[in-house]
Amino acid sequence: TEFGLDVPGFQIEQLPDVDWVARSLEGLKPIESARFFVHGAHDRNLRPAGKHTLQIEAGLAFGTGHHPTTFGCLSTLEEITRRRKIRNALDLGCGTGLLALALANLTGHKVLASDIDPIAVKVTKENAKANGLGPLIDAVPAAGFAHRRITEKKPFDLIVANILARPLVSLARDMEQHLAPGGEIVLAGILNRQGPMVESAFRDQGLKLRGREVIGDWVILHLQG
């Protein structure tokens, strides 16, 4: 007893000499969509023929493809690029840069990626280089659309933003103003119950809902100008 409190006993135990990073990666299996195989370095030997392959490591930035929002965006981007040519795309809130890299792979054109977190921007550049896509990825630190490079490159044929519902709502007007006529927007990071709020904000900007994909507790919204 100390300071009148019962202090629970504790025991010191020596742990085995284990590579815990490698152990954690064992559970991070590759992600496979219609056109992509996303994997860590530990699964390079599993890469199939006939698909775009992207090596993305788990780390400090969000977006390895395992979260439903990232996977849902990837599938939607595949559908859009099958249907039309995208020449000028923005990945807003890029995290690891997975979606920007996917767009560069699918379109063959330079993609602008941005994130409020400078670590994410650094990771995106590293992942672009590691996947042989360095020249096609331009990554910049930015809060929303507040960066000279974003202003210079507008209007965008396609904007993908996998962030959070409330920031998406606050960015609805800016997003519409940076979108080319007939351009498309993919939004994620939205819980099912938040979907109507986000839809309403973008509808108020004159955008039309093209599709809504529900994956578990999450919804991916596809809109068009």
Side-chain angles (χ1 to χ4, degrees), residues 7-19:
V7 179
F10 60 91
Q11 204 171 3
I12 297 174
E13 181 181 347
Q14 186 171 354
L15 291 172
D17 186 12
V18 173
D19 184 342

Side-chain angles (χ1 to χ4, degrees), residues 14 31 33 40-41 45 48 50 76 82 93 111 122 124 133 137 145 154 165 182 194 210 214:
Q14 186 171 354
I31 293 298
S33 66
N45 61 316
T76 306
R82 269 195 301 265
V111 176
K122 179 174 179 286
T124 292
L133 293 166
I137 300 296
F145 290 85
K154 74 173 186 180
Q194 298 170 321
R210 269 194 75 110
V214 176

Side-chain angles (χ1 to χ4, degrees), residues 1-9:
T1 302
E2 189 173 351
F3 303 116
L5 300 171
D6 289 329
V7 179

Side-chain angles (χ1 to χ4, degrees), residues 21-166:
V21 172
R23 177 68 63 85
S24 68
L25 289 173
E26 288 172 6
L28 203 59
K29 300 300 182 188
I31 293 298
E32 197 163 359
S33 66
R35 300 172 71 182
F36 282 94
F37 184 82
V38 184
H39 63 92
H42 58 292
D43 280 326
R44 290 189 68 185
N45 61 316
L46 300 178
R47 293 181 294 182
K51 287 203 174 186
H52 298 294
T53 60
L54 293 174
Q55 182 173 314
I56 304 289
E57 303 302 332
L60 295 176
F62 175 81
T64 59
H66 291 79
H67 195 278
T69 59
T70 313
F71 183 79
C73 285
L74 189 59
S75 300
T76 306
L77 296 179
E78 289 174 346
E79 182 274 319
I80 292 171
T81 54
R82 269 195 301 265
R83 177 170 39 79
R84 63 178 288 185
K85 289 197 179 298
I86 299 295
R87 293 182 173 84
N88 188 24
L90 169 66
D91 179 4
L92 182 75
C94 58
T96 62
L98 169 58
L99 298 176
L101 268 61
L103 279 167
N105 238 319
L106 290 166
T107 67
H109 290 282
K110 196 162 189 172
V111 176
L112 181 58
S114 69
D115 203 289
I116 197 169
D117 182 1
I119 292 175
V121 175
K122 179 174 179 286
V123 169
T124 292
K125 290 178 179 177
E126 290 170 352
N127 283 334
K129 187 176 179 181
N131 284 277
L133 293 166
L136 289 179
I137 300 296
D138 183 12
V140 298
F145 290 85
H147 195 283
R148 177 179 53 83
R149 204 88 52 90
I150 298 175
T151 304
E152 289 172 349
K153 285 210 71 179
K154 74 173 186 180
F156 296 95
D157 305 326
L158 173 65
I159 300 173
V160 56
N162 182 12
I163 47 178
L164 293 170
R166 293 195 180 281

